[in-house]
Amino acid sequence: GPKVLQIPSHQIIDMGQMVTLNCDPVSNHLYFYWYKQILGQQMEFLVNFYNGKVMEKSKLFKDQFSVERPDGSYFTLKIQPTALEDSAVYFCASSLGSGASGAETLYFGSGTRLTVL
Amino acid sequence: GEQVEQRPPHLSVREGDSAVITCTYTDPNSYYFFWYKQEPGASLQLLMKVFSSTEINEGQGFTVLLNKKDKRLSLNLTAAHPGDSAAYFCAVSSISGSFNKLTFGAGTRLAVCP
């Protein structure tokens, strides 16, 4: 089936540093998402992105977070500066349509485990 | 907003036994329901997408039951085998959002012992 690739699978950084998480979405998909999962808890929506713009974000999407997809390359999540509470697994997803009816299927990557020391 | 509770967080069964994972949700406007399977180190794999008008949905080796009155969704694995060992997540999509925003359960780690 369609594959979403996330690079790297693990990242360890010191608090205050910048980190960029990369996502290679399904090639013909137009909508992109980031979800955050703290260990033992459920995955929570961070942001969705379409046509170069953030369409919707949750309260978890702090000012230190930003997303972009320059020139159709990787869809990235940047955190600058990082904080201890940013330690989590970040999942990228993509979909073909917006799913305004709720029916759209999201295809997920395998996640990037971020550890902030 | 929507809240989804998934039980149990961990489940261990013997090969050939059935395994049942249940999610309850709060938003009566929820229309689409998803079950994902995640093996260690792998991406979430869509098992089934369920529309609210269908109460019983059968897949390969499993059944998804939807009880709209009780706002409960369950995944029943019949005759589990070791390859079913994975984390399972339910997700609920509400039509009140303008874009697809899933609310996930916390997951169930299933271990199937030979």
Side-chain angles (χ1 to χ4, degrees), chain B residues 44-80:
Chain B
L44 276 76
Q45 172 195 351
L46 180 68
L47 280 181
M48 184 170 277
K49 178 168 73 177
V50 176
F51 181 52
S52 62
S53 66
T54 308
E55 293 186 346
I56 301 175
N57 301 266
E58 296 192 354
Q60 196 165 7
F62 61 89
T63 302
V64 172
L65 302 176
L66 176 62
N67 182 327
K68 286 183 290 182
K69 176 173 171 291
D70 294 340
K71 296 199 272 302
R72 182 183 297 122
L73 177 75
S74 66
L75 172 67
N76 295 18
L77 288 146
T78 53

PDB file of all heavy atoms in Angstrom, chain B residues 44-80:
ATOM      1  N   LEU B  44       1.849   2.811  10.957  1.00  0.00           N
ATOM      2  CA  LEU B  44       0.487   2.384  11.242  1.00  0.00           C
ATOM      3  C   LEU B  44      -0.133   1.856   9.944  1.00  0.00           C
ATOM      4  O   LEU B  44      -0.105   2.516   8.913  1.00  0.00           O
ATOM      5  CB  LEU B  44      -0.353   3.553  11.755  1.00  0.00           C
ATOM      6  CG  LEU B  44      -0.256   3.863  13.229  1.00  0.00           C
ATOM      7  CD1 LEU B  44       1.034   4.582  13.548  1.00  0.00           C
ATOM      8  CD2 LEU B  44      -1.432   4.709  13.690  1.00  0.00           C
ATOM      9  N   GLN B  45      -0.690   0.685  10.041  1.00  0.00           N
ATOM     10  CA  GLN B  45      -1.297   0.048   8.874  1.00  0.00           C
ATOM     11  C   GLN B  45      -2.814   0.056   9.057  1.00  0.00           C
ATOM     12  O   GLN B  45      -3.314  -0.412  10.084  1.00  0.00           O
ATOM     13  CB  GLN B  45      -0.772  -1.389   8.780  1.00  0.00           C
ATOM     14  CG  GLN B  45      -1.445  -2.261   7.748  1.00  0.00           C
ATOM     15  CD  GLN B  45      -1.124  -3.735   7.965  1.00  0.00           C
ATOM     16  OE1 GLN B  45      -0.279  -4.093   8.765  1.00  0.00           O
ATOM     17  NE2 GLN B  45      -1.814  -4.599   7.249  1.00  0.00           N
ATOM     18  N   LEU B  46      -3.523   0.595   8.088  1.00  0.00           N
ATOM     19  CA  LEU B  46      -4.971   0.636   8.194  1.00  0.00           C
ATOM     20  C   LEU B  46      -5.547  -0.775   8.087  1.00  0.00           C
ATOM     21  O   LEU B  46      -5.315  -1.477   7.108  1.00  0.00           O
ATOM     22  CB  LEU B  46      -5.556   1.511   7.092  1.00  0.00           C
ATOM     23  CG  LEU B  46      -7.081   1.644   7.102  1.00  0.00           C
ATOM     24  CD1 LEU B  46      -7.544   2.430   8.320  1.00  0.00           C
ATOM     25  CD2 LEU B  46      -7.573   2.310   5.815  1.00  0.00           C
ATOM     26  N   LEU B  47      -6.303  -1.162   9.111  1.00  0.00           N
ATOM     27  CA  LEU B  47      -6.976  -2.463   9.089  1.00  0.00           C
ATOM     28  C   LEU B  47      -8.356  -2.333   8.465  1.00  0.00           C
ATOM     29  O   LEU B  47      -8.753  -3.160   7.637  1.00  0.00           O
ATOM     30  CB  LEU B  47      -7.145  -3.003  10.513  1.00  0.00           C
ATOM     31  CG  LEU B  47      -5.965  -3.680  11.184  1.00  0.00           C
ATOM     32  CD1 LEU B  47      -6.375  -4.156  12.566  1.00  0.00           C
ATOM     33  CD2 LEU B  47      -5.453  -4.835  10.339  1.00  0.00           C
ATOM     34  N   MET B  48      -9.087  -1.331   8.910  1.00  0.00           N
ATOM     35  CA  MET B  48     -10.456  -1.183   8.424  1.00  0.00           C
ATOM     36  C   MET B  48     -10.957   0.224   8.683  1.00  0.00           C
ATOM     37  O   MET B  48     -10.616   0.823   9.694  1.00  0.00           O
ATOM     38  CB  MET B  48     -11.374  -2.206   9.115  1.00  0.00           C
ATOM     39  CG  MET B  48     -12.796  -2.184   8.609  1.00  0.00           C
ATOM     40  SD  MET B  48     -13.785  -3.559   9.209  1.00  0.00           S
ATOM     41  CE  MET B  48     -13.310  -4.834   8.055  1.00  0.00           C
ATOM     42  N   LYS B  49     -11.754   0.705   7.727  1.00  0.00           N
ATOM     43  CA  LYS B  49     -12.450   1.975   7.891  1.00  0.00           C
ATOM     44  C   LYS B  49     -13.936   1.643   7.926  1.00  0.00           C
ATOM     45  O   LYS B  49     -14.447   0.937   7.046  1.00  0.00           O
ATOM     46  CB  LYS B  49     -12.138   2.899   6.716  1.00  0.00           C
ATOM     47  CG  LYS B  49     -12.848   4.228   6.773  1.00  0.00           C
ATOM     48  CD  LYS B  49     -12.269   5.191   5.752  1.00  0.00           C
ATOM     49  CE  LYS B  49     -12.645   4.877   4.337  1.00  0.00           C
ATOM     50  NZ  LYS B  49     -12.098   5.888   3.400  1.00  0.00           N
ATOM     51  N   VAL B  50     -14.625   2.134   8.932  1.00  0.00           N
ATOM     52  CA  VAL B  50     -16.014   1.769   9.151  1.00  0.00           C
ATOM     53  C   VAL B  50     -16.873   3.017   9.102  1.00  0.00           C
ATOM     54  O   VAL B  50     -16.551   4.031   9.728  1.00  0.00           O
ATOM     55  CB  VAL B  50     -16.166   1.081  10.533  1.00  0.00           C
ATOM     56  CG1 VAL B  50     -17.622   0.783  10.823  1.00  0.00           C
ATOM     57  CG2 VAL B  50     -15.335  -0.183  10.587  1.00  0.00           C
ATOM     58  N   PHE B  51     -17.942   2.928   8.356  1.00  0.00           N
ATOM     59  CA  PHE B  51     -18.904   4.017   8.285  1.00  0.00           C
ATOM     60  C   PHE B  51     -20.013   3.747   9.278  1.00  0.00           C
ATOM     61  O   PHE B  51     -20.364   2.590   9.527  1.00  0.00           O
ATOM     62  CB  PHE B  51     -19.450   4.136   6.868  1.00  0.00           C
ATOM     63  CG  PHE B  51     -20.437   5.250   6.676  1.00  0.00           C
ATOM     64  CD1 PHE B  51     -20.126   6.535   7.080  1.00  0.00           C
ATOM     65  CD2 PHE B  51     -21.670   5.032   6.098  1.00  0.00           C
ATOM     66  CE1 PHE B  51     -21.027   7.581   6.903  1.00  0.00           C
ATOM     67  CE2 PHE B  51     -22.580   6.068   5.918  1.00  0.00           C
ATOM     68  CZ  PHE B  51     -22.257   7.328   6.319  1.00  0.00           C
ATOM     69  N   SER B  52     -20.576   4.800   9.814  1.00  0.00           N
ATOM     70  CA  SER B  52     -21.475   4.649  10.952  1.00  0.00           C
ATOM     71  C   SER B  52     -22.771   3.923  10.621  1.00  0.00           C
ATOM     72  O   SER B  52     -23.484   3.516  11.523  1.00  0.00           O
ATOM     73  CB  SER B  52     -21.805   6.014  11.555  1.00  0.00           C
ATOM     74  OG  SER B  52     -22.477   6.806  10.603  1.00  0.00           O
ATOM     75  N   SER B  53     -23.068   3.742   9.350  1.00  0.00           N
ATOM     76  CA  SER B  53     -24.333   3.079   9.029  1.00  0.00           C
ATOM     77  C   SER B  53     -24.217   1.559   9.072  1.00  0.00           C
ATOM     78  O   SER B  53     -25.211   0.851   9.009  1.00  0.00           O
ATOM     79  CB  SER B  53     -24.815   3.495   7.641  1.00  0.00           C
ATOM     80  OG  SER B  53     -23.935   3.025   6.659  1.00  0.00           O
ATOM     81  N   THR B  54     -22.995   1.060   9.199  1.00  0.00           N
ATOM     82  CA  THR B  54     -22.777  -0.390   9.164  1.00  0.00           C
ATOM     83  C   THR B  54     -22.342  -0.870  10.526  1.00  0.00           C
ATOM     84  O   THR B  54     -21.331  -0.401  11.052  1.00  0.00           O
ATOM     85  CB  THR B  54     -21.709  -0.748   8.122  1.00  0.00           C
ATOM     86  OG1 THR B  54     -22.050  -0.146   6.890  1.00  0.00           O
ATOM     87  CG2 THR B  54     -21.611  -2.256   7.942  1.00  0.00           C
ATOM     88  N   GLU B  55     -23.080  -1.775  11.085  1.00  0.00           N
ATOM     89  CA  GLU B  55     -22.787  -2.196  12.454  1.00  0.00           C
ATOM     90  C   GLU B  55     -21.754  -3.308  12.528  1.00  0.00           C
ATOM     91  O   GLU B  55     -21.003  -3.391  13.487  1.00  0.00           O
ATOM     92  CB  GLU B  55     -24.081  -2.631  13.133  1.00  0.00           C
ATOM     93  CG  GLU B  55     -25.052  -1.471  13.347  1.00  0.00           C
ATOM     94  CD  GLU B  55     -26.266  -1.893  14.138  1.00  0.00           C
ATOM     95  OE1 GLU B  55     -26.493  -3.104  14.289  1.00  0.00           O
ATOM     96  OE2 GLU B  55     -26.993  -0.997  14.603  1.00  0.00           O
ATOM     97  N   ILE B  56     -21.761  -4.165  11.542  1.00  0.00           N
ATOM     98  CA  ILE B  56     -20.834  -5.296  11.561  1.00  0.00           C
ATOM     99  C   ILE B  56     -19.999  -5.252  10.291  1.00  0.00           C
ATOM    100  O   ILE B  56     -20.539  -5.195   9.191  1.00  0.00           O
ATOM    101  CB  ILE B  56     -21.584  -6.633  11.646  1.00  0.00           C
ATOM    102  CG1 ILE B  56     -22.437  -6.675  12.914  1.00  0.00           C
ATOM    103  CG2 ILE B  56     -20.606  -7.798  11.615  1.00  0.00           C
ATOM    104  CD1 ILE B  56     -23.314  -7.907  13.014  1.00  0.00           C
ATOM    105  N   ASN B  57     -18.710  -5.261  10.466  1.00  0.00           N
ATOM    106  CA  ASN B  57     -17.800  -5.203   9.324  1.00  0.00           C
ATOM    107  C   ASN B  57     -16.784  -6.317   9.468  1.00  0.00           C
ATOM    108  O   ASN B  57     -16.132  -6.430  10.503  1.00  0.00           O
ATOM    109  CB  ASN B  57     -17.078  -3.851   9.301  1.00  0.00           C
ATOM    110  CG  ASN B  57     -18.047  -2.694   9.212  1.00  0.00           C
ATOM    111  OD1 ASN B  57     -18.350  -2.213   8.129  1.00  0.00           O
ATOM    112  ND2 ASN B  57     -18.544  -2.236  10.345  1.00  0.00           N
ATOM    113  N   GLU B  58     -16.668  -7.134   8.459  1.00  0.00           N
ATOM    114  CA  GLU B  58     -15.775  -8.286   8.569  1.00  0.00           C
ATOM    115  C   GLU B  58     -14.531  -8.086   7.719  1.00  0.00           C
ATOM    116  O   GLU B  58     -14.610  -7.657   6.566  1.00  0.00           O
ATOM    117  CB  GLU B  58     -16.512  -9.559   8.141  1.00  0.00           C
ATOM    118  CG  GLU B  58     -17.671  -9.894   9.071  1.00  0.00           C
ATOM    119  CD  GLU B  58     -18.229 -11.293   8.841  1.00  0.00           C
ATOM    120  OE1 GLU B  58     -17.788 -11.948   7.895  1.00  0.00           O
ATOM    121  OE2 GLU B  58     -19.110 -11.698   9.609  1.00  0.00           O
ATOM    122  N   GLY B  59     -13.410  -8.411   8.316  1.00  0.00           N
ATOM    123  CA  GLY B  59     -12.149  -8.387   7.586  1.00  0.00           C
ATOM    124  C   GLY B  59     -11.554  -9.778   7.586  1.00  0.00           C
ATOM    125  O   GLY B  59     -12.226 -10.755   7.912  1.00  0.00           O
ATOM    126  N   GLN B  60     -10.286  -9.847   7.256  1.00  0.00           N
ATOM    127  CA  GLN B  60      -9.618 -11.151   7.200  1.00  0.00           C
ATOM    128  C   GLN B  60      -9.145 -11.524   8.598  1.00  0.00           C
ATOM    129  O   GLN B  60      -8.122 -11.032   9.076  1.00  0.00           O
ATOM    130  CB  GLN B  60      -8.435 -11.084   6.233  1.00  0.00           C
ATOM    131  CG  GLN B  60      -7.924 -12.432   5.800  1.00  0.00           C
ATOM    132  CD  GLN B  60      -7.023 -12.326   4.585  1.00  0.00           C
ATOM    133  OE1 GLN B  60      -6.675 -11.222   4.148  1.00  0.00           O
ATOM    134  NE2 GLN B  60      -6.635 -13.440   4.037  1.00  0.00           N
ATOM    135  N   GLY B  61      -9.913 -12.394   9.248  1.00  0.00           N
ATOM    136  CA  GLY B  61      -9.530 -12.845  10.579  1.00  0.00           C
ATOM    137  C   GLY B  61     -10.012 -11.939  11.706  1.00  0.00           C
ATOM    138  O   GLY B  61      -9.640 -12.147  12.858  1.00  0.00           O
ATOM    139  N   PHE B  62     -10.828 -10.925  11.360  1.00  0.00           N
ATOM    140  CA  PHE B  62     -11.321 -10.066  12.423  1.00  0.00           C
ATOM    141  C   PHE B  62     -12.672  -9.475  12.041  1.00  0.00           C
ATOM    142  O   PHE B  62     -13.050  -9.468  10.877  1.00  0.00           O
ATOM    143  CB  PHE B  62     -10.317  -8.949  12.742  1.00  0.00           C
ATOM    144  CG  PHE B  62     -10.022  -8.021  11.602  1.00  0.00           C
ATOM    145  CD1 PHE B  62     -10.792  -6.887  11.379  1.00  0.00           C
ATOM    146  CD2 PHE B  62      -8.968  -8.281  10.728  1.00  0.00           C
ATOM    147  CE1 PHE B  62     -10.518  -6.033  10.323  1.00  0.00           C
ATOM    148  CE2 PHE B  62      -8.686  -7.433   9.668  1.00  0.00           C
ATOM    149  CZ  PHE B  62      -9.470  -6.299   9.461  1.00  0.00           C
ATOM    150  N   THR B  63     -13.356  -8.999  13.075  1.00  0.00           N
ATOM    151  CA  THR B  63     -14.658  -8.357  12.878  1.00  0.00           C
ATOM    152  C   THR B  63     -14.661  -7.055  13.659  1.00  0.00           C
ATOM    153  O   THR B  63     -14.162  -7.009  14.791  1.00  0.00           O
ATOM    154  CB  THR B  63     -15.797  -9.259  13.383  1.00  0.00           C
ATOM    155  OG1 THR B  63     -15.741 -10.503  12.703  1.00  0.00           O
ATOM    156  CG2 THR B  63     -17.160  -8.620  13.142  1.00  0.00           C
ATOM    157  N   VAL B  64     -15.218  -6.026  13.058  1.00  0.00           N
ATOM    158  CA  VAL B  64     -15.379  -4.747  13.747  1.00  0.00           C
ATOM    159  C   VAL B  64     -16.862  -4.535  13.998  1.00  0.00           C
ATOM    160  O   VAL B  64     -17.664  -4.599  13.070  1.00  0.00           O
ATOM    161  CB  VAL B  64     -14.784  -3.590  12.917  1.00  0.00           C
ATOM    162  CG1 VAL B  64     -15.133  -2.257  13.530  1.00  0.00           C
ATOM    163  CG2 VAL B  64     -13.275  -3.748  12.794  1.00  0.00           C
ATOM    164  N   LEU B  65     -17.207  -4.295  15.241  1.00  0.00           N
ATOM    165  CA  LEU B  65     -18.598  -4.054  15.621  1.00  0.00           C
ATOM    166  C   LEU B  65     -18.746  -2.607  16.055  1.00  0.00           C
ATOM    167  O   LEU B  65     -17.915  -2.080  16.807  1.00  0.00           O
ATOM    168  CB  LEU B  65     -18.998  -4.979  16.772  1.00  0.00           C
ATOM    169  CG  LEU B  65     -18.860  -6.477  16.527  1.00  0.00           C
ATOM    170  CD1 LEU B  65     -19.198  -7.259  17.782  1.00  0.00           C
ATOM    171  CD2 LEU B  65     -19.767  -6.910  15.377  1.00  0.00           C
ATOM    172  N   LEU B  66     -19.813  -1.978  15.599  1.00  0.00           N
ATOM    173  CA  LEU B  66     -20.090  -0.599  15.966  1.00  0.00           C
ATOM    174  C   LEU B  66     -21.459  -0.524  16.624  1.00  0.00           C
ATOM    175  O   LEU B  66     -22.461  -0.951  16.041  1.00  0.00           O
ATOM    176  CB  LEU B  66     -20.066   0.289  14.716  1.00  0.00           C
ATOM    177  CG  LEU B  66     -20.442   1.761  14.917  1.00  0.00           C
ATOM    178  CD1 LEU B  66     -19.457   2.441  15.858  1.00  0.00           C
ATOM    179  CD2 LEU B  66     -20.484   2.478  13.579  1.00  0.00           C
ATOM    180  N   ASN B  67     -21.496  -0.009  17.826  1.00  0.00           N
ATOM    181  CA  ASN B  67     -22.741   0.185  18.554  1.00  0.00           C
ATOM    182  C   ASN B  67     -22.924   1.690  18.732  1.00  0.00           C
ATOM    183  O   ASN B  67     -22.330   2.301  19.617  1.00  0.00           O
ATOM    184  CB  ASN B  67     -22.681  -0.539  19.910  1.00  0.00           C
ATOM    185  CG  ASN B  67     -23.968  -0.415  20.687  1.00  0.00           C
ATOM    186  OD1 ASN B  67     -24.671   0.590  20.612  1.00  0.00           O
ATOM    187  ND2 ASN B  67     -24.294  -1.441  21.450  1.00  0.00           N
ATOM    188  N   LYS B  68     -23.737   2.294  17.871  1.00  0.00           N
ATOM    189  CA  LYS B  68     -23.875   3.748  17.889  1.00  0.00           C
ATOM    190  C   LYS B  68     -24.613   4.235  19.126  1.00  0.00           C
ATOM    191  O   LYS B  68     -24.353   5.321  19.627  1.00  0.00           O
ATOM    192  CB  LYS B  68     -24.610   4.210  16.630  1.00  0.00           C
ATOM    193  CG  LYS B  68     -23.764   4.147  15.373  1.00  0.00           C
ATOM    194  CD  LYS B  68     -24.513   4.678  14.182  1.00  0.00           C
ATOM    195  CE  LYS B  68     -25.627   3.734  13.791  1.00  0.00           C
ATOM    196  NZ  LYS B  68     -26.365   4.209  12.589  1.00  0.00           N
ATOM    197  N   LYS B  69     -25.513   3.409  19.605  1.00  0.00           N
ATOM    198  CA  LYS B  69     -26.301   3.816  20.775  1.00  0.00           C
ATOM    199  C   LYS B  69     -25.390   3.988  21.980  1.00  0.00           C
ATOM    200  O   LYS B  69     -25.503   4.962  22.725  1.00  0.00           O
ATOM    201  CB  LYS B  69     -27.374   2.768  21.041  1.00  0.00           C
ATOM    202  CG  LYS B  69     -28.222   2.988  22.274  1.00  0.00           C
ATOM    203  CD  LYS B  69     -29.357   1.979  22.324  1.00  0.00           C
ATOM    204  CE  LYS B  69     -30.087   2.041  23.647  1.00  0.00           C
ATOM    205  NZ  LYS B  69     -29.265   1.545  24.762  1.00  0.00           N
ATOM    206  N   ASP B  70     -24.481   3.013  22.149  1.00  0.00           N
ATOM    207  CA  ASP B  70     -23.561   3.068  23.277  1.00  0.00           C
ATOM    208  C   ASP B  70     -22.275   3.811  22.929  1.00  0.00           C
ATOM    209  O   ASP B  70     -21.393   3.930  23.783  1.00  0.00           O
ATOM    210  CB  ASP B  70     -23.213   1.655  23.757  1.00  0.00           C
ATOM    211  CG  ASP B  70     -24.423   0.938  24.329  1.00  0.00           C
ATOM    212  OD1 ASP B  70     -25.391   1.637  24.702  1.00  0.00           O
ATOM    213  OD2 ASP B  70     -24.401  -0.312  24.393  1.00  0.00           O
ATOM    214  N   LYS B  71     -22.125   4.232  21.684  1.00  0.00           N
ATOM    215  CA  LYS B  71     -20.905   4.885  21.202  1.00  0.00           C
ATOM    216  C   LYS B  71     -19.693   4.009  21.508  1.00  0.00           C
ATOM    217  O   LYS B  71     -18.731   4.443  22.149  1.00  0.00           O
ATOM    218  CB  LYS B  71     -20.773   6.295  21.778  1.00  0.00           C
ATOM    219  CG  LYS B  71     -21.900   7.231  21.316  1.00  0.00           C
ATOM    220  CD  LYS B  71     -21.567   8.690  21.470  1.00  0.00           C
ATOM    221  CE  LYS B  71     -21.916   9.255  22.824  1.00  0.00           C
ATOM    222  NZ  LYS B  71     -23.338   9.132  23.205  1.00  0.00           N
ATOM    223  N   ARG B  72     -19.778   2.793  21.034  1.00  0.00           N
ATOM    224  CA  ARG B  72     -18.727   1.815  21.295  1.00  0.00           C
ATOM    225  C   ARG B  72     -18.326   1.128  19.999  1.00  0.00           C
ATOM    226  O   ARG B  72     -19.173   0.748  19.186  1.00  0.00           O
ATOM    227  CB  ARG B  72     -19.192   0.767  22.298  1.00  0.00           C
ATOM    228  CG  ARG B  72     -18.112  -0.241  22.650  1.00  0.00           C
ATOM    229  CD  ARG B  72     -18.598  -1.312  23.598  1.00  0.00           C
ATOM    230  NE  ARG B  72     -19.001  -0.737  24.875  1.00  0.00           N
ATOM    231  CZ  ARG B  72     -20.214  -0.881  25.389  1.00  0.00           C
ATOM    232  NH1 ARG B  72     -21.135  -1.576  24.758  1.00  0.00           N
ATOM    233  NH2 ARG B  72     -20.498  -0.342  26.540  1.00  0.00           N
ATOM    234  N   LEU B  73     -17.037   0.976  19.851  1.00  0.00           N
ATOM    235  CA  LEU B  73     -16.447   0.336  18.672  1.00  0.00           C
ATOM    236  C   LEU B  73     -15.537  -0.786  19.166  1.00  0.00           C
ATOM    237  O   LEU B  73     -14.753  -0.561  20.089  1.00  0.00           O
ATOM    238  CB  LEU B  73     -15.629   1.373  17.900  1.00  0.00           C
ATOM    239  CG  LEU B  73     -14.868   0.939  16.672  1.00  0.00           C
ATOM    240  CD1 LEU B  73     -15.819   0.728  15.510  1.00  0.00           C
ATOM    241  CD2 LEU B  73     -13.825   1.996  16.306  1.00  0.00           C
ATOM    242  N   SER B  74     -15.668  -1.954  18.581  1.00  0.00           N
ATOM    243  CA  SER B  74     -14.795  -3.033  19.042  1.00  0.00           C
ATOM    244  C   SER B  74     -14.148  -3.753  17.869  1.00  0.00           C
ATOM    245  O   SER B  74     -14.720  -3.845  16.778  1.00  0.00           O
ATOM    246  CB  SER B  74     -15.564  -4.031  19.909  1.00  0.00           C
ATOM    247  OG  SER B  74     -16.528  -4.713  19.138  1.00  0.00           O
ATOM    248  N   LEU B  75     -12.954  -4.252  18.137  1.00  0.00           N
ATOM    249  CA  LEU B  75     -12.207  -5.051  17.176  1.00  0.00           C
ATOM    250  C   LEU B  75     -12.091  -6.444  17.773  1.00  0.00           C
ATOM    251  O   LEU B  75     -11.549  -6.605  18.873  1.00  0.00           O
ATOM    252  CB  LEU B  75     -10.819  -4.455  16.942  1.00  0.00           C
ATOM    253  CG  LEU B  75      -9.841  -5.276  16.105  1.00  0.00           C
ATOM    254  CD1 LEU B  75     -10.321  -5.365  14.658  1.00  0.00           C
ATOM    255  CD2 LEU B  75      -8.437  -4.659  16.150  1.00  0.00           C
ATOM    256  N   ASN B  76     -12.652  -7.418  17.085  1.00  0.00           N
ATOM    257  CA  ASN B  76     -12.613  -8.800  17.549  1.00  0.00           C
ATOM    258  C   ASN B  76     -11.702  -9.609  16.640  1.00  0.00           C
ATOM    259  O   ASN B  76     -12.006  -9.808  15.462  1.00  0.00           O
ATOM    260  CB  ASN B  76     -14.013  -9.418  17.513  1.00  0.00           C
ATOM    261  CG  ASN B  76     -14.970  -8.754  18.477  1.00  0.00           C
ATOM    262  OD1 ASN B  76     -14.722  -7.650  18.926  1.00  0.00           O
ATOM    263  ND2 ASN B  76     -16.052  -9.430  18.774  1.00  0.00           N
ATOM    264  N   LEU B  77     -10.594 -10.053  17.190  1.00  0.00           N
ATOM    265  CA  LEU B  77      -9.694 -10.922  16.428  1.00  0.00           C
ATOM    266  C   LEU B  77     -10.073 -12.366  16.728  1.00  0.00           C
ATOM    267  O   LEU B  77     -10.023 -12.788  17.877  1.00  0.00           O
ATOM    268  CB  LEU B  77      -8.240 -10.666  16.821  1.00  0.00           C
ATOM    269  CG  LEU B  77      -7.669  -9.347  16.332  1.00  0.00           C
ATOM    270  CD1 LEU B  77      -6.689  -8.757  17.313  1.00  0.00           C
ATOM    271  CD2 LEU B  77      -6.975  -9.553  15.005  1.00  0.00           C
ATOM    272  N   THR B  78     -10.475 -13.078  15.725  1.00  0.00           N
ATOM    273  CA  THR B  78     -10.861 -14.475  15.919  1.00  0.00           C
ATOM    274  C   THR B  78      -9.650 -15.352  15.628  1.00  0.00           C
ATOM    275  O   THR B  78      -8.896 -15.104  14.690  1.00  0.00           O
ATOM    276  CB  THR B  78     -12.003 -14.844  14.954  1.00  0.00           C
ATOM    277  OG1 THR B  78     -11.606 -14.489  13.630  1.00  0.00           O
ATOM    278  CG2 THR B  78     -13.266 -14.080  15.301  1.00  0.00           C
ATOM    279  N   ALA B  79      -9.442 -16.346  16.495  1.00  0.00           N
ATOM    280  CA  ALA B  79      -8.333 -17.293  16.301  1.00  0.00           C
ATOM    281  C   ALA B  79      -7.015 -16.562  16.078  1.00  0.00           C
ATOM    282  O   ALA B  79      -6.396 -16.655  15.013  1.00  0.00           O
ATOM    283  CB  ALA B  79      -8.631 -18.231  15.127  1.00  0.00           C
ATOM    284  N   ALA B  80      -6.612 -15.781  17.094  1.00  0.00           N
ATOM    285  CA  ALA B  80      -5.390 -14.989  16.975  1.00  0.00           C
ATOM    286  C   ALA B  80      -4.170 -15.872  16.744  1.00  0.00           C
ATOM    287  O   ALA B  80      -4.088 -17.004  17.240  1.00  0.00           O
ATOM    288  CB  ALA B  80      -5.199 -14.159  18.239  1.00  0.00           C
TER     289      ALA B  80
END
